[in-house]
Amino acid sequence: MKIFVVIALILATGALADLSSNPSIQGRITNGQTATEGQFPHQVGLSFSASGSSWWCGGSLIDSQWVLTAAHCTSGASSVTIYYGATVRTKAQFTQKVTSSNFIQHASYNSVILRNDISLIKTPSVTFSSLVNKVQLPSIASSYSTYVGSQVIASGWGRLSDSTTSVATNLQYANFEVISQATCQSTYGILTVTSKVICIATPNQTSTCQGDSGGPLILASNGLLIGVTSFGHEDGCQIGAPAGFTRVTSYLDWIKENSGVSY
């Protein structure tokens, strides 16, 4: 029985929708804090479009021409508008629009169990500044780290609470702690929570939510990108269930092979 939801937010209707036969769509940092300008220069906003509909996700700038996001965000999209250097969602330093021909979605992405939920987007080259800059990928040596107990930060423009239906105006972030794979499996099962997934505890009604999909999970100690926002619980973002992220160290070779960006 599936009890997880992916966390992109449909913009055209302001409502949740299904990305596959069972999971539904979720999105923003609930009970988080408002980011200051330049606090997360690697964070980008992604407005995807397809056949008259649109949805919102986050992403991470990992190089001057590459954005890393979730496969459930790129799936089915015909184009995306990328918002760079924004704190207020609609007031980016600049935007770029690229078509789906620039998407590299993991070939083995499985929307039913959210396996390999990761995608790359190639963009025109951007110039880095204090407000727009890349995030550092972890080293291959970190592949053996469980990160359990590590303090991490998630950010995005997802929903602020379960009662809202629209993405946030201001970029939000919150601090979390990584939990064990076994603890997360007790909620979502072994098919979804594999060694390629990182999970966090979500106490005090603080979590990722609809609209945060594809956004970054970074280590608080050094700012390394270790996760891509993937899924939460279908009963809501504020119920205290773990939130799941695609583990970046499991895809370092895939990222390098497809983008040339090395770790």
Side-chain angles (χ1 to χ4, degrees):
M1 182 172 128
K2 296 179 184 64
I3 49 177
F4 61 87
V5 293
V6 295
I7 52 184
L9 190 65
I10 299 297
L11 295 178
T13 63
L16 304 188
D18 287 336
L19 284 184
S20 67
S21 58
N22 288 291
S24 51
I25 303 176
Q26 282 196 33
R28 113 183 179 187
I29 305 288
T30 60
N31 289 326
Q33 303 176 65
T34 299
T36 58
E37 189 175 63
Q39 186 174 359
F40 302 104
H42 55 273
Q43 172 90 51
V44 297
L46 302 173
S47 179
F48 290 94
S49 298
S51 302
S53 65
S54 61
W55 57 96
W56 182 267
C57 283
S60 299
L61 191 60
I62 61 169
D63 192 70
S64 61
Q65 290 185 283
W66 292 96
V67 168
L68 189 68
T69 189
H72 75 258
C73 289
T74 59
S75 182
S78 57
S79 66
V80 63
T81 299
I82 305 165
Y83 292 71
Y84 294 89
T87 302
V88 176
R89 183 173 60 87
T90 56
K91 295 182 179 179
Q93 297 300 304
F94 57 91
T95 63
Q96 293 179 342
K97 185 174 183 178
V98 298
T99 64
S100 59
S101 62
N102 294 285
F103 301 169
I104 302 177
Q105 185 171 294
H106 198 287
S108 298
Y109 166 60
N110 184 318
S111 63
V112 177
I113 55 175
L114 291 182
R115 188 72 54 82
N116 302 308
D117 189 16
I118 192 167
S119 284
L120 286 160
I121 301 173
K122 187 174 184 180
T123 72
S125 184
V126 301
T127 300
F128 293 149
S129 68
S130 61
L131 301 180
V132 179
N133 212 329
K134 67 179 181 179
V135 66
Q136 183 66 41
L137 297 176
S139 68
I140 195 69
S142 300
S143 298
Y144 300 101
S145 174
T146 64
Y147 296 115
V148 173
S150 295
Q151 297 299 305
V152 292
I153 302 170
S155 54
W157 288 273
R159 290 167 53 193
L160 296 178
S161 72
D162 287 330
S163 62
T164 60
T165 57
S166 61
V167 289
T169 298
N170 299 298
L171 182 62
Q172 302 289 301
Y173 73 97
N175 294 273
F176 300 96
E177 183 173 310
V178 176
I179 60 174
S180 71
Q181 187 176 322
T183 299
C184 198
Q185 286 173 339
S186 67
T187 299
Y188 300 110
I190 60 174
L191 291 180
T192 295
V193 183
T194 68
S195 60
K196 296 183 177 182
V197 169
I198 290 174
C199 292
I200 59 170
T202 64
N204 305 316
Q205 297 188 328
T206 302
S207 183
T208 50
C209 198
Q210 284 95 337
D212 289 321
S213 284
L217 184 74
I218 61 173
L219 283 173
S221 60
N222 56 20
L224 292 178
L225 179 69
I226 65 167
V228 175
T229 305
S230 182
F231 63 88
H233 200 282
E234 67 176 1
D235 289 341
C237 309
Q238 297 180 283
I239 65 168
F245 300 76
T246 302
R247 182 187 171 107
V248 172
T249 54
S250 297
Y251 297 91
L252 290 172
D253 287 340
W254 178 84
I255 292 170
K256 184 176 181 180
E257 290 167 5
N258 287 281
S259 70
V261 178
S262 58
Y263 34 84

